[in-house]
Every structure is written in structure tokens, then in C-alpha cells.
Amino acid sequence: MNRKILAVLLTAIMIVPVFVTMTMGDGSEAETTVVVESSPDFAPYDYYYGDEFTGIDMDILRAIGMDTGINITFRQNLFDSILLSVTQHKCDFGASGFTISEERKQSVDFTEPYSVIRQVVVAKAGLDITSEADVKGKVMSVQTGTSGADYAKTLTSPSNIIYQKGYTEIVLDLINGKAFCEVVDDAVGMAQVSAHPELQVYDVLEAEPEYYGFIFAKDNEALYKTINDSLIKLKENGTVADIIKYYADNGFSLDTPSYFNRVNTLFILTCHDVPFSYMANGFNAGIDADILRAISKDIDYKIRFKQVDFKDIFKELETNPSYIGAAGIFDTPERREHLSFSDSYMSDKLVVLAPKNSDITDISVLESKSIAVVIGNESDTYAESKGYAVNRYTENSAAAAKVSSGVNDCAIMDRTMAKAQINNHPDLEIRDILTDVQERPYAFAFSPDATNLYEIVNASLLKLKADGTIDDILAYYEKNGYGEGVPSYFDDESEKSFFDKLWDKFTKDFLDMDRYQYLTNGLANTLKITVMALIMGMIIGSVAAMVVSMSAQTGKWKIPAAICRVYITVIRGTPVMVQLLIIYYIVFASSDMNQILIASIAFGLNSGAYVAEVVRSGINSVPKGQMEAARSLGLSTGASMKLIILPQAIRNILPALGNEAISLIKETSVAGYIGVMELTRGADIIRGQTYDALLPLLVIAAVYLAIVLILQYLIKKMEKRLNNAY
Amino acid sequence: MPIENNEMLNIRALTKSFGDNQVLKGIDLTVHKGEVISIIGPSGCGKSTFIRCLILLERPSSGNVFFDGKDILSKDVNEDEIRSRMGMVFQNFNLFPHMTAKENIMLAPVKLGVMNKEEASLEADRLLSKIGLPDKADTYPSKLSGGQQQRIAIARALAMKPEVMLFDEPTSALDPEKVGEVLDLIKDLAENNMTMIIVTHEMGFAREVSDRVLFFSEGYIEEEGTPAEIFGNPRSSRLQDFLSKVL
Ligand SMILES: Nc1ncnc2c1ncn2[C@@H]1O[C@H](COP(=O)(O)OP(=O)(O)OP(=O)(O)O)[C@@H](O)[C@H]1O
Ligand SMILES: [Mg+2]
């Protein structure tokens, strides 16, 4: 009778998954809500902003949702897994920057294209890459399965291509010099560069443009038509273009929130112009940049800089009223005909810089003096027009030095520059004697239509002038001599110690936008899966081991024992990831069952086979006389196993079972392949957001290690207790 | 009173083979209630196999075993139920090492529903006193001497109130000075009319305690008789030979 119970139990464990599939299958609420899968490590198309799915794909779909009234929900999965998920109906459709290709059209239907893509090269900044020929034959790092990977094959030999799972690894390859360059979609490349100023996009490839579309299973016609029609409509009315422009305006940067969740942002048009606007330490520095940054902080806006040519600043302002021009721009009456200007934050005027004891006290004496100027500068033009005798130098500092050493009698330069020179040359002083030059005000340029923006920014500017902030910024640049290398007033990077920088990284990876939640949620899921799988594995494993052992002892139960042996052999003979994919996409193909539960079942089945072998060896380690003694008392085989053999076997195999638990917890890290947000996937998502490849990995490594150590401690304690018991 | 009613075991033409090796070659034996039977014989002659067949730890190859009138080899018999009515004591004690002495004794009666916990506990205490180990109730087997372990193994078997007790060389694994305490216990059982089959090498003991002695040789019962006949007047040359070696 007990044998029957055991046999029933065994069968139950084998068929439970099937049964659950049947009862939990086709949910009924699926009519109003559709599930879209996306891989959120593909900025700017798909990424997490905080815990919100963000990016061009996501926002176009949000717009489609609003248009059609369909409730679209997003779910993350690995890029490689989404195609399978769509064809197996694990989700309703996929949106993760899928390039429309003939090959993919064999298995899925594509919507109309919503975005045009060009392949570009990303490599270290400042390299001499001007044409496709410059990257031919080099070592390239690409993401598996992307068009970039395909195009790389035409550029270099297969052995020179490193295939990576995600972009974080690729960026690391580039920074560490493992690869010379990456071939990638243009916007994605720009997103990477936004997070890594040491990299640069080189737009040199001659690849054909490509198009992105959403993917649907072939037989999902009704939904396909609804979504596709809506997409066409949104393309025609400009919504799609607006969304893409929004991300482009934000430089495809990773810290761009959803189009539908826009935050106030100052968009700045600027160009290289020391000391007003330039890059230092990968940071926008200069007087203009810092004043605008101070304003953005004051009014709680984000700030974005867009580099263009100086002449294009005015052109763009005419068509783009949301921008502000800032690059040491003079406020002149001619310009005021087309633009409006903020209050001046600083003004300048040509002055004379002369030794303190100099006799140059009036403009009239300059005719007889030898004057230092800077080539091509305002001062050069002025001296030229007056016919003065000049020596031309390349920098203001050189001009001042010549005056100080007596080579020249005086120098002509802007007052701000002159002030800076006095820092190094206390023997010099400013003589404001040039009566025929104008005071020139610097200001920020606005489109005349941008009245609202103008008022907000100008009010803040006035406030910062009044409270001394702007004076502080100006004094900072003056003190540092207005050089190109002067870092931003707000850039405290250069003074930071290694630990400060590490802390900054830590803050960005884990504290900003509560990113640590990816790890805590991931850890919770990892633990859930591990515990459920462990319990299941122990039950299945013990039952299978008992069936096999008892069949060997009694010669009965040949069929169940054969089933168990096949199960053990198959599971131990195949990789756990393959089992997971088969169970999720094939066995549970038509089930809406929770992925965590499916993962637990998969890992439980996997673990069961290993536990079975361990338990079997444990059973064999118990002397035969124990079973005989138990049976001689009238106990059934099953009861003898349970009461006499297993308790002793478990003591013998506890270390081995502990090892199984330890390897199981680490194996669950592949659950990401079916879209489960476990610990490793959580770290991947953080890495996809911050493009910080290493720190999240180190942190989860520490977390895994900590769990394993705790587990080891518990097992040791249990062993001790069992060993002391008898 | 008809003789059959007095029969505890009736064994007919019992054989047992392991593969090609026929270990028991046709054993016939009737055991009456209260009878004490000793089995002696050279090593490897099938003594253990024989009593293991009686309690179905081995499945006989052919023949019949009637236990209390019922053929225990027929298909519809509940083997576990049969075993629960017999007690077996092993050479190596086979106490359950993860249970205390008392738990060893209580296990079967409680798990098989013969007694509830309280009854089993009282019975275990009674048996522990009877075997002279009332203070070892909570001791684990590893902390007990061989003789103590074997006495507890006997108590464990007795707890199920068996109708027959089978002993397979119960003292062979013991230090010589511990043999006595176990044999005394078995003698005590014999005096209380317990039906017993005892495989033993202790000839003095067999002579003293047995109603009948069987001499096994090469899978047969070579000779059987009262202790006086077997030890005082061995007829077969094999038995004479055997006795000359062991005595
Ligand atoms: N499970 C088994 N499989 C195969 N052969 C066995 C098995 N058990 C016993 N035998 C063989 O059966 C024969 C009789 O063994 P058994 O243990 O019954 O002898 P014994 O009379 O009890 O000897 P001893 O006095 O040494 O205990 C031996 O030859 C032994 O090898
Ligand atoms: Mg023997």
C-alpha cells in the first residue's frame, strides 16, 4: 500500500507541471492588456529610467497605446530571447530595436519602420578615423545578432570580431583596448558616448541604412493590424518624429526620462570658445556653461549642451525656440533684429596693461610705444586700425610676460584677460585709457518666440547676479587665468580621491534613482527560485533515489525506476540553460504561469537529478543490516527508507547536499534568459543604465559570496548538530 | 488437542538458490509452540539463509512455509504483516544508530499502530528493566557495549510481541566476557515458553537450552535430535567431525 503512495507521489511530481499548465493556461484578462517584451539595455531605444521603461521604442508604443486604447505593458527579457518569446506567444509582441530583415521576416511579421538607422563606429576619442578604410581589419567588439555584427564581418576577419552579449561589455572592451572599435547603430553609439566621454562616434561607414520595426508572431493578425495602423497614423502626424527628436535633443543620453514624463530641461547650443565654452575632463566647462549650469540648478532644470558651429547657433535658434545660444556671444543691435538677449552676465572692453611705474596714462602716448597683442584677437584688429607698432603673440600670457620683462612697453587686451594676467604679474596694472573703444556686453541668445523660457532664465540670471554666484564663477575663471584646461567651476572630479570617485560610481550605480532596487528585487527573486527549486529538488531527488535503490534491492518497480534513470541521465547530460529554455518555451509554451515559478520548476527538476545521485550514494552508504532490521520488525520498505535509511543517509550526504544548494544558487543566474529579474540580471540592467561595467558585477559577486558563506555556515552547524546527535 | 494446532511453523521442501548456487537443498521442519530449536553446522552451510527465508528477508526458491497454518509464500500474503509477527536478532545487532535505546524499542509498535505512544513507552521501560538496562533508555547505541546493544536488539524484537524469535549467531560478534549476559537473556525467554530458532556456535548453550538441535551440512539437515542425542551420540561422520572441531 505504501508503495502505491510512493508511486503516486512520483507520478504526481512528473505530471504536476503539465497539470499546472492546463489549469493556469490562457488567462482571460488578456483581451485589454497586451504584453510587450523588450531588452532594456539598448538605449536610447529601450532602457530603464529609474524603474520606468523608457526610450524611443517604449514611447512610440505609449503613444500607440493612447491612440488605440490598448493597455500596453512592458516586460524585460534578453534580446536573444525575445524573438523566441514572440513566436512562442509568451508575449504579444516584441519591441527592442529589431532591424527589419528578410531573414527575420521568415519567422515574424514586422510593422512599418519607425526609425532609420545608420551603422557608425565607436572608438576612443581623438583617433584619426576619417573613412571606412581606417577601421578595416581592426579588432572589433559587437553585440551578437545585431546588424553591427553583420557589418563588422565585411570589415574585418572573423577572428578579429569579439561577440558580446551586451553593450556594457563592448564599452569595456573599447576602454580597455581589447577592441579597437565597435560597429553599432548611430543613436546607440551616441548614448554610449554620452556616458563615456573618452569614447567618440565616427560616422564613417558606408553601410546601407536600416529600419527598425516591432515584431509580431505570424498568426497575430488582429493585433498586428491595430498596432501597425496606429503606427502609420503617428508617423504621419509627426508624433514619432517628435519622440525621436526629443531623444536626439537630449543627446541620446542615458539619463533622459520618457518623452511622456519630460522634465524641464535647458537645451544649450554652444561651440568651442575658451573661456566661455569648452570641454574639460569630459565636462562642459567655461563661463557660459557654468553660469547656465548655475541657472539650471537654481530653477531646477536639467541642462543639455549641443555642440554646433558658431554660425549655426543663430540659424538653429530661428527654427528651435526651445534652445538657448551660449558661446561668449556679444549682444549687438544688429543681432537684436533677429534674436532676443538676456541681461548681460559680464561685459568686456579693451584696456591697456602696463607696468605700475609706466608713463602710459593717456591714449595719445601709445603711438610711440611698442605694444604686445594676441594674433587675430580684437586687440590686434584695434592696434592695426590705429597703426600702432605691435608685437604679436599667440597668447595673452605671453603678451603680459613680455611687458613684465620690458620687451614691450604695454599690452592691449580684454579687461577680463588683463585681470587674470595680474595674478601672475603683480608688477602690472590696468590702465583704462582707450577712450575710443566700446564696452561690449556678453549675453545669452534666445529665439524671439521663447518668451516664457526667456523670462524664467533671465529672472534667475538677475538673481544669481545679485547674490554673488556669478561673481564667484567669474572670479574662479579669472583666478585660473582663463586657460583651456581650467575645469568647470562645478567639476570637482579632478580634486577627488580614488575613494571619492568610487563612492560617486557607487552612488550612480546603486543610489541614484533607487537603482539598488534592481539588486534587492533581483536578490529576492534569486532566493525565491533557489528555495523553491531546492525544496522541489530535494523531494524529487529523494523520491527518485528511493525508487532506483529500492528497485535495485527488491527487483520490483522496473518501469518507475527506468523512468527515474532516464530523467537523471537526461538532466545531468544537458546544460541547465538549455533545460530552462526548453521548459519555458516548449513545455510551458502556452502557459501564462509566472516566470519565477517556471524557473523554480526548471531548476527544481535540474537539481532533483543531482540530488537523486547524491541521495542514492547516501542510501548505499547505510549498512544493509539497517534495512533488514527495519523490515524484520514489520516495517514496509517505504517506511524503512523514510524512518531508518534516509535519516542516516542525509547525515552522510549533508556536505554534498550543501554543495548542491551552493551551486544551485549560482546557477539561477541564467534565469535571466527567460526574462526573470534575478540578481545577475538586476546587475546587468544597472550596467545597461550606467554603462559602468564593473562595479555592479563586483557587488553581486560579493552578494553571491555572502549568501554562500551564510549557507556554508548553516550547513556546518547542521552537520555538527547531526554529528553530535548520535 | 490435535497436533496441528500446536504447530507454529511447518516447513516443507524448502530450497533456496543464489543464481546457480543452491544453498538450501530441501529442508523439512516442524516447529511447535514453545519449542526451542538450535541450528549448528559449519560455516557456509546455509544456516543464516534458512532463517532469513523464514522471515522473508530472502525469498525461497521453492517449497512451503506454513506459519500458524498459513502459507507465507503465497501471493496474497502481506509480507510486512508476517514479519511483524516474527522477531529477528542479528549477529551485528543492527540497532538504529540515530535513535536512543528506548526509541529503537518503541519504533515498530508505534509506527505499525500496535500500541500508542504511552503504551509503547511503558512496554519499553518494562523490557529495559527486564534486560537489566533501565538506565540506558536515552542512550544512543554508539555509547553501549556490544552485549548491551544485543540485549536491546532482543528487546526491540520482543516489543512487537512476536510469536517466534529467530536468532542468527547472536553472540558471535561479542567479546567473550559479554556472551553470558546475552545467553542468560535468551535462556530466560526459553523458560518463558518463547518459540525460538537459534543459529549458534555456543555448543554448551545449545545443549542446555534446546528442545531439539539441528545439524546443517551443505544445505541439508544432516542430523536432528535432542541435545543429548546430538552431542552425546552423534551418528553421522560429518557431525562427529564437526563436533570434534568445535568442542
Ligand atoms: N545474498 C547472497 N547472494 C549470493 N550468495 C549468497 C548470499 N547470501 C549467502 N550466499 C551464499 O550462500 C551460502 C550460505 O550462506 P549462509 O550465510 O547461509 O551460511 P551460514 O551457514 O550462515 O554460514 P556462517 O556460519 O559463516 O554464517 C554461502 O556460500 C554464501 O556465499
Ligand atoms: Mg550465518
Side-chain angles (χ1 to χ4, degrees):
Chain A
M1 195 179 77
N2 277 317
R3 284 182 203 163
K4 273 184 205 148
I5 291 172
L6 212 61
V8 167
L9 194 67
L10 179 74
T11 330
I13 285 166
M14 297 294 189
I15 64 168
V16 149
V18 182
F19 187 68
V20 174
T21 317
M22 292 190 319
T23 51
M24 296 189 68
D26 54 348
S28 50
E29 310 100 293
E31 285 149 32
T32 46
T33 301
V34 302
V35 177
V36 179
E37 277 193 358
S38 177
S39 171
D41 52 4
F42 195 63
Y45 290 93
D46 312 275
Y47 59 99
Y48 276 114
Y49 182 84
D51 57 0
E52 189 182 32
F53 276 91
T54 305
I56 295 170
D57 286 348
M58 306 292 108
D59 281 344
I60 291 175
L61 287 174
R62 279 196 183 95
I64 289 175
M66 291 170 204
D67 178 44
T68 57
I70 294 175
N71 180 15
I72 297 180
T73 60
F74 299 102
R75 189 168 72 197
Q76 65 91 19
N77 200 347
L78 283 185
F79 182 78
D80 290 337
S81 301
I82 296 173
L83 210 68
L84 196 57
S85 205
V86 167
T87 54
Q88 294 298 112
H89 300 277
K90 299 301 274 186
C91 64
D92 294 291
F93 65 102
S96 204
F98 285 101
T99 303
I100 301 174
S101 75
E102 288 310 314
E103 206 183 337
R104 282 184 179 149
K105 277 186 187 167
Q106 310 278 319
S107 44
V108 289
D109 282 339
F110 276 95
T111 59
E112 284 292 300
Y114 56 83
S115 189
V116 191
I117 308 304
R118 291 171 45 260
Q119 295 300 312
V120 296
V121 165
V122 174
K124 281 200 175 137
L127 298 179
D128 187 23
I129 301 175
T130 52
S131 75
E132 196 172 282
D134 293 333
V135 298
K136 279 217 164 116
K138 303 279 193 200
V139 177
M140 300 182 182
S141 186
V142 294
Q143 183 171 8
T144 321
T146 58
S147 322
D150 288 342
Y151 197 66
K153 282 188 223 157
T154 69
L155 294 172
T156 192
S157 67
S159 60
N160 275 345
I161 300 178
I162 304 170
Y163 290 95
Q164 293 289 16
K165 188 167 71 89
Y167 287 112
T168 26
E169 287 80 9
I170 295 175
V171 166
L172 204 61
D173 280 348
L174 295 177
I175 290 171
N176 292 340
K178 290 219 171 71
F180 176 77
C181 66
E182 170 194 13
V183 180
V184 66
D185 297 351
D186 46 4
V188 179
M190 287 166 87
Q192 291 169 5
V193 170
S194 80
H196 285 282
E198 63 265 50
L199 300 179
Q200 184 180 332
V201 169
Y202 299 90
D203 187 3
V204 296
L205 298 181
E206 290 150 20
E208 291 290 317
E210 296 163 19
Y211 302 91
Y212 280 167
F214 304 127
I215 56 169
F216 286 75
K218 291 263 182 199
D219 54 2
N220 201 354
E221 279 151 35
L223 183 64
Y224 173 84
K225 191 170 167 0
T226 315
I227 302 286
N228 198 39
D229 288 351
S230 172
L231 177 62
I232 292 170
K233 182 172 144 198
L234 295 176
K235 274 175 77 174
E236 278 165 4
N237 72 16
T239 307
V240 169
D242 278 352
I243 291 171
I244 294 176
K245 180 179 176 301
Y246 163 76
Y247 283 96
D249 283 346
N250 280 283
F252 297 118
S253 159
L254 287 160
D255 57 345
T256 306
S258 163
Y259 175 79
F260 295 101
N261 217 347
R262 273 167 287 192
V263 295
N264 291 322
T265 305
L266 294 180
F267 292 104
I268 312 299
L269 286 167
T270 189
C271 68
H272 184 83
D273 184 14
V274 184
F276 300 100
S277 175
Y278 53 92
M279 297 300 288
N281 302 334
F283 206 74
N284 284 86
I287 294 168
D288 285 16
D290 279 345
I291 291 175
L292 284 166
R293 195 172 274 122
I295 290 172
S296 75
K297 284 182 201 236
D298 177 45
I299 60 180
D300 201 15
Y301 273 44
K302 273 189 174 228
I303 189 162
R304 297 270 194 235
F305 294 92
K306 184 175 175 185
Q307 303 283 339
V308 293
D309 284 345
F310 185 79
K311 58 182 182 341
D312 291 336
I313 291 179
F314 302 116
K315 236 193 274 166
E316 283 231 23
L317 280 178
E318 280 168 28
T319 53
N320 248 328
S322 53
Y323 279 108
I324 302 171
I329 300 172
F330 289 130
D331 174 1
T332 65
E334 305 84 69
R335 287 176 178 161
R336 278 194 180 252
E337 283 171 25
H338 308 287
L339 300 166
S340 48
F341 281 91
S342 68
D343 275 54
S344 169
Y345 50 87
M346 167 178 152
S347 72
D348 221 337
K349 187 185 172 197
L350 289 177
V351 294
V352 169
L353 184 64
K356 281 187 172 152
N357 55 7
S358 160
D359 61 345
I360 303 175
T361 51
D362 189 84
I363 187 167
S364 57
V365 303
L366 289 175
E367 282 172 12
S368 58
K369 301 294 180 187
S370 129
I371 300 169
V373 295
V374 171
I375 298 175
N377 197 293
E378 200 82 29
S379 58
D380 192 4
T381 324
Y382 173 74
E384 180 96 56
S385 71
K386 302 277 284 195
Y388 294 148
V390 297
N391 286 107
R392 294 185 172 86
Y393 302 101
T394 51
E395 295 197 10
N396 287 311
S397 55
K402 294 300 176 185
V403 175
S404 183
S405 62
V407 175
N408 292 103
D409 299 321
C410 68
I412 293 178
M413 61 180 72
D414 279 338
R415 184 174 54 220
T416 42
M417 299 299 157
K419 277 187 192 164
Q421 301 314 318
I422 292 173
N423 292 332
N424 293 331
H425 301 286
D427 55 317
L428 303 182
E429 66 180 11
I430 288 172
R431 304 272 164 92
D432 188 2
I433 54 174
L434 302 179
T435 47
D436 52 356
V437 296
Q438 296 274 310
E439 186 82 22
R440 290 163 300 147
Y442 289 109
F444 302 125
F446 291 79
S447 155
D449 302 332
T451 42
N452 207 8
L453 178 67
Y454 176 88
E455 265 158 37
I456 294 167
V457 171
N458 205 46
S460 171
L461 176 68
L462 290 174
K463 180 181 153 201
L464 297 180
K465 266 172 98 163
D467 71 11
T469 307
I470 288 176
D471 285 343
D472 289 346
I473 293 171
L474 293 175
Y476 165 80
Y477 281 99
E478 183 185 322
K479 189 184 94 210
N480 285 290
Y482 299 108
E484 171 140 23
V486 179
S488 162
Y489 179 72
F490 294 99
D491 175 13
D492 37 12
E493 279 306 305
S494 32
E495 285 148 38
K496 280 184 178 164
S497 70
F498 171 78
F499 290 104
D500 288 340
K501 284 183 181 168
L502 193 67
W503 172 248
D504 282 354
K505 266 193 172 175
F506 187 85
T507 309
K508 191 172 156 207
D509 283 340
F510 305 114
L511 303 183
D512 286 358
M513 298 206 256
D514 291 344
R515 290 202 177 104
Y516 67 88
Q517 286 185 357
Y518 294 112
L519 296 190
T520 50
N521 294 340
L523 178 62
N525 287 340
T526 293
L527 292 177
K528 262 187 229 163
I529 294 171
T530 308
V531 169
M532 284 197 276
L534 211 57
I535 293 172
M536 233 180 97
M538 293 288 165
I539 295 173
I540 296 178
S542 306
V543 170
M546 275 162 63
V547 168
V548 171
S549 300
M550 279 169 23
S551 171
Q553 275 174 30
T554 62
K556 292 172 191 166
W557 291 357
K558 292 222 161 70
I559 292 171
I563 293 173
C564 289
R565 269 193 295 269
V566 168
Y567 155 72
I568 292 169
T569 309
V570 169
I571 296 286
R572 293 188 354 136
T574 51
V576 63
M577 194 182 91
V578 174
Q579 294 162 16
L580 179 71
L581 292 178
I582 289 175
I583 288 173
Y584 182 64
Y585 289 113
I586 299 171
V587 177
F588 285 88
S590 55
S591 158
D592 281 353
M593 198 166 149
N594 179 309
Q595 287 142 309
I596 291 178
L597 205 55
I598 296 181
S600 305
I601 290 173
F603 287 109
L605 282 172
N606 176 270
S607 180
Y610 291 90
V611 170
E613 284 299 279
V614 170
V615 172
R616 209 164 62 93
S617 75
I619 290 173
N620 290 343
S621 75
V622 177
K624 232 178 109 199
Q626 290 291 309
M627 180 57 126
E628 292 182 347
R631 302 228 59 196
S632 76
L633 289 167
L635 295 172
S636 66
T637 326
S640 310
M641 270 285 174
K642 196 182 107 202
L643 298 169
I644 307 302
I645 309 299
L646 280 182
Q648 297 181 56
I650 283 171
R651 170 162 118 152
N652 294 342
I653 60 178
L654 200 67
L657 286 180
N659 283 341
E660 174 54 26
I662 284 168
S663 61
L664 182 65
I665 199 164
K666 290 175 291 178
E667 268 172 3
T668 58
S669 63
V670 302
Y673 276 89
I674 62 165
V676 174
M677 248 289 278
E678 42 66 59
L679 189 53
T680 302
R681 183 68 175 146
D684 273 348
I685 286 170
I686 293 178
R687 295 164 77 217
Q689 280 182 36
T690 62
Y691 278 73
D692 178 4
L694 293 178
L695 195 57
L697 286 186
L698 293 177
V699 167
I700 61 161
V703 173
Y704 279 114
L705 187 63
I707 299 171
V708 168
L709 289 178
I710 292 171
L711 216 63
Q712 262 173 2
Y713 171 78
L714 292 177
I715 292 164
K716 271 247 167 64
K717 242 179 117 167
M718 230 154 95
E719 256 178 82
K720 229 185 215 150
R721 255 182 62 179
L722 281 182
N723 283 340
N724 290 342
Y726 59 89
Chain B
M1 197 197 284
I3 285 201
E4 289 92 291
N5 283 354
N6 198 20
E7 272 178 20
M8 179 64 71
L9 283 164
N10 191 345
I11 298 142
R12 291 293 146 235
L14 185 78
T15 73
K16 171 70 185 174
S17 304
F18 294 106
D20 293 339
N21 178 17
Q22 193 172 37
V23 176
L24 299 178
K25 297 172 180 163
I27 307 283
D28 292 284
L29 176 70
T30 306
V31 182
H32 298 98
K33 280 187 185 149
E35 202 174 9
V36 178
I37 292 177
S38 290
I39 300 176
I40 58 171
S43 181
C45 66
K47 307 180 296 289
S48 296
T49 306
F50 175 64
I51 60 169
R52 287 163 59 81
C53 280
L54 299 184
I55 197 167
L56 299 174
L57 288 178
E58 305 288 356
R59 190 90 199 155
S61 304
S62 68
N64 300 96
V65 178
F66 296 95
F67 176 45
D68 207 13
K70 200 161 159 204
D71 184 358
I72 63 171
L73 301 182
S74 78
K75 286 249 149 29
D76 56 343
V77 148
N78 181 344
E79 294 187 6
D80 293 334
E81 194 258 345
I82 297 296
R83 287 194 196 92
S84 72
R85 292 165 56 194
M86 302 181 177
M88 172 106 179
V89 175
F90 301 85
Q91 187 174 339
N92 294 315
F93 333 133
N94 291 342
L95 286 182
F96 307 131
H98 58 302
M99 297 178 180
T100 62
K102 189 169 174 179
E103 285 166 351
N104 264 275
I105 297 171
M106 287 171 63
L107 175 79
V110 172
K111 291 295 168 190
L112 294 173
V114 179
M115 301 174 197
N116 64 31
K117 270 215 165 109
E118 289 74 45
E119 291 165 348
S121 173
L122 284 174
E123 175 67 7
D125 288 339
R126 191 185 68 78
L127 287 166
L128 282 165
S129 309
K130 179 173 165 177
I131 63 172
L133 296 171
D135 53 334
K136 300 294 183 193
D138 299 323
T139 309
Y140 284 94
S142 59
K143 301 278 182 318
L144 295 169
S145 76
Q148 291 169 329
Q149 286 191 54
Q150 192 62 301
R151 283 188 278 159
I152 286 162
I154 294 170
R156 178 176 70 180
L158 290 174
M160 283 300 291
K161 306 213 183 312
E163 293 160 46
V164 57
M165 285 284 284
L166 310 174
F167 293 84
D168 189 0
E169 300 191 26
T171 57
S172 294
L174 296 179
D175 295 338
E177 74 270 21
K178 306 282 181 190
V179 169
E181 60 193 56
V182 173
L183 295 183
D184 286 347
L185 181 54
I186 300 173
K187 269 182 226 160
D188 196 47
L189 292 176
E191 275 155 25
N192 286 295
N193 278 330
M194 174 61 81
T195 314
M196 298 193 281
I197 302 176
I198 306 163
V199 175
T200 185
H201 286 300
E202 299 289 335
M203 296 305 152
F205 168 74
R207 175 183 289 196
E208 183 184 343
V209 79
S210 311
D211 297 315
R212 249 191 308 162
V213 179
L214 312 182
F215 172 63
F216 268 51
S217 172
E218 293 180 359
Y220 292 105
I221 299 178
E222 175 84 19
E223 200 169 327
E224 83 170 271
T226 63
E229 288 165 350
I230 292 294
F231 296 109
N233 186 17
R235 279 167 285 144
S236 72
S237 57
R238 283 191 176 159
L239 177 55
Q240 290 163 4
D241 206 31
F242 174 73
L243 288 176
S244 71
K245 278 182 196 145
V246 296
L247 287 179

